[in-house]
Amino acid sequence: MIWRGATALAGGALGLAAPLAGADWRERLALSGPAVAPGGIWLHAASVGELNSARVLAEALAPDFPLVVTTNSLTGRDLARRLGHPCALAPLDVPQAVGRFLDRVRPAVLVTVENELWPNRSAMAAARGVAQVVVGARISARSAARWRRLPGLIGPMLARIDALSAQDPGSEARLLALGLRAGALTPRLNLKLLAPARVEPGEDGPERARTVLAASTHEGEDALMLDAWAAAREAVPGLRLILAPRHPERGDAVAALIAARGLEYARRSRGGGPGAPVLLADTLGEMAQWYHAAGICITGGSFADHGGHTPWEPAAWRCAVLHGPHVANHAGDYADLAAAGAARGCDAAGLPQALAALARDAGGQRRMGAAARALLLARAGNPATLIGRIAALARRGLA
């Protein structure tokens, strides 16, 4: 929703995310675009991140209803194409473009992901009887205060919404205060967590408790991981390490660090597997099997100052999470996992001891992993109610 403030109603706020070529401008003006069967669902997501977060909903709805996806960005449109959905750049929020788009697509439901509502789109969809749904909505206290100065704009947009799932209780309360009907609320969902929450970890392998994954490491972290693992292995004989650099093209440099320490290792890009004491996982698309193999995951980007990577992927696989001090990108998530007994933080100097202590405690690993997954499932929420609500609105539009 245009929570960013009133300035979003002018200039670049028409949703322009990058310079456009002529054909792309035609899509923005709705002079061209996909032709789909009427009575379906129009799913709008700003860009790649928002569309990725809504993939669970799209996959659930697409088999039963015509689905067309719009985005504000070229990269978002490219992702929609790869996912196989009819797609276009979103129409500019001017009456002529919105009208042409609605004439072509004739949706029964408009589903907006997270933070995008536009005044003309909202009013013209309502005038044509198109139900409106917002998924993963969020609004800060600061943005809500700005919108209270424009009640004639935000109030009607919120009043037209038939169903809304918020990301958190604070957003729910602010949206209700700004004009959302209480009856429009559906259970809260964190869209970004729906995909990891769908992971089915399976049974633990016999070596899992003695396997450590250093996931998505950055330059400056690999040597630390190798030395911490080597120290922990003195206390836990047979402890194995899977070292997965964030950027696999760094494989040669990381291999040189391993070789310089005289360690026996295998390299995944050359056909190696996790049987070696150290596996350099310098490939793309295989992280799931490394999470499955490891009882302990050290999250990269948290010992070098990169803000830390998400803890929810290892949580999905029931990994006990260790991390460094630099977790600003997900500070609240790490704090909540720590409070649940699912994650432990340490500094670089303390990593060898923390790793050895956890590696010796297979039961502790399992308890931490179970707690991490339980918190993930609770945070993600269950999308079934929202999917059912959207489907019911679509069927009503077809009636």
Side-chain angles (χ1 to χ4, degrees), residues 303-348:
F303 288 91
D305 192 1
H306 290 278
H309 295 301
T310 175
W312 297 118
E313 291 179 3
W317 293 93
R318 297 196 307 263
C319 296
V321 176
L322 287 178
H323 63 87
H326 302 291
V327 294
N329 293 344
H330 303 277
D333 297 332
Y334 279 100
D336 291 343
L337 284 163
R344 297 176 187 173
C346 61
D347 59 16

Side-chain angles (χ1 to χ4, degrees), residues 36 39 45 77 81 89 118 155-156 175 195 227 238 247 261 265 381 390:
V36 295
R77 185 185 63 183
R81 286 174 176 166
L89 294 173
W118 295 98
L175 292 169
D227 294 340
H247 303 107
R261 285 161 172 75
Y265 74 101
I390 295 170

Side-chain angles (χ1 to χ4, degrees), residues 15-365:
L16 304 180
L20 301 180
D24 299 326
W25 270 113
R26 289 183 61 80
E27 282 190 9
R28 277 298 203 184
L29 295 171
L31 296 170
S32 66
V36 295
I41 295 168
W42 171 10
L43 175 66
H44 175 72
S47 192
V48 171
E50 292 81 4
L51 181 53
N52 264 324
S53 72
R55 286 174 67 170
V56 171
L57 301 181
E59 290 168 4
L61 294 165
D64 299 317
F65 302 97
L67 179 71
V68 62
V69 175
T70 62
T71 72
N72 294 343
S73 73
L74 300 174
T75 53
R77 185 185 63 183
D78 290 344
L79 174 59
R81 286 174 176 166
R82 291 197 299 273
L83 296 175
H85 301 308
C87 59
L89 294 173
L92 297 176
D93 197 51
V94 295
Q96 298 87 342
V98 173
R100 283 190 291 266
F101 186 87
L102 290 171
D103 287 342
R104 178 180 294 109
V105 175
R106 290 176 289 169
V109 184
L110 165 58
V111 178
T112 300
V113 181
E114 292 190 10
N115 289 3
E116 291 229 335
L117 279 184
W118 295 98
N120 287 311
R121 188 183 302 175
S122 169
M124 295 178 71
R128 297 178 185 225
V130 179
Q132 299 183 48
V133 177
V134 180
V135 298
R138 55 186 170 85
I139 180 172
S140 68
R142 183 179 180 182
S143 292
R146 289 172 175 168
W147 276 112
R148 281 195 290 272
R149 302 173 196 151
L150 297 168
L153 183 62
I154 189 63
M157 285 196 290
L158 291 174
R160 297 180 188 117
I161 293 173
D162 296 275
L164 179 145
S165 72
Q167 290 190 19
D168 57 83
S171 290
E172 272 187 3
R174 294 175 197 117
L175 292 169
L176 289 169
L178 287 169
L180 180 71
R181 294 178 298 105
L185 284 177
T186 66
R188 290 189 291 273
L189 292 176
N190 189 318
L191 295 180
K192 291 180 173 64
L193 299 187
L194 290 183
R198 296 176 76 193
V199 166
E200 296 292 342
E203 296 295 323
D204 291 350
E207 297 297 319
R208 192 169 197 252
R210 294 193 301 168
T211 303
V212 179
L213 169 64
S216 297
T217 57
H218 291 258
E219 186 175 358
E221 293 184 315
D222 308 289
L224 172 64
M225 301 300 163
L226 289 165
D227 294 340
W229 166 80
R233 197 169 193 248
E234 293 182 4
V236 187
L239 188 66
R240 299 187 301 179
L241 173 67
I242 301 171
L243 180 54
R246 178 72 169 179
H247 303 107
E249 61 269 23
R250 293 179 51 242
D252 288 345
V254 179
L257 291 173
I258 301 171
R261 285 161 172 75
L263 299 172
E264 180 185 350
Y265 74 101
R267 192 165 172 179
R268 183 60 176 170
S269 63
R270 298 180 182 177
V278 178
L279 173 65
L280 174 53
D282 56 342
T283 56
L284 290 172
E286 295 191 298
M287 284 302 295
Q289 65 177 302
W290 313 139
Y291 286 125
H292 179 61
I296 302 169
C297 178
I298 307 172
T299 51
S302 65
F303 288 91
D305 192 1
H306 290 278
H309 295 301
T310 175
W312 297 118
E313 291 179 3
W317 293 93
R318 297 196 307 263
C319 296
V321 176
L322 287 178
H323 63 87
H326 302 291
V327 294
N329 293 344
H330 303 277
D333 297 332
Y334 279 100
D336 291 343
L337 284 163
R344 297 176 187 173
C346 61
D347 59 16
L351 180 59
Q353 183 178 357
L355 179 56
L358 191 53
R360 283 194 297 261
D361 186 5
Q365 289 180 38

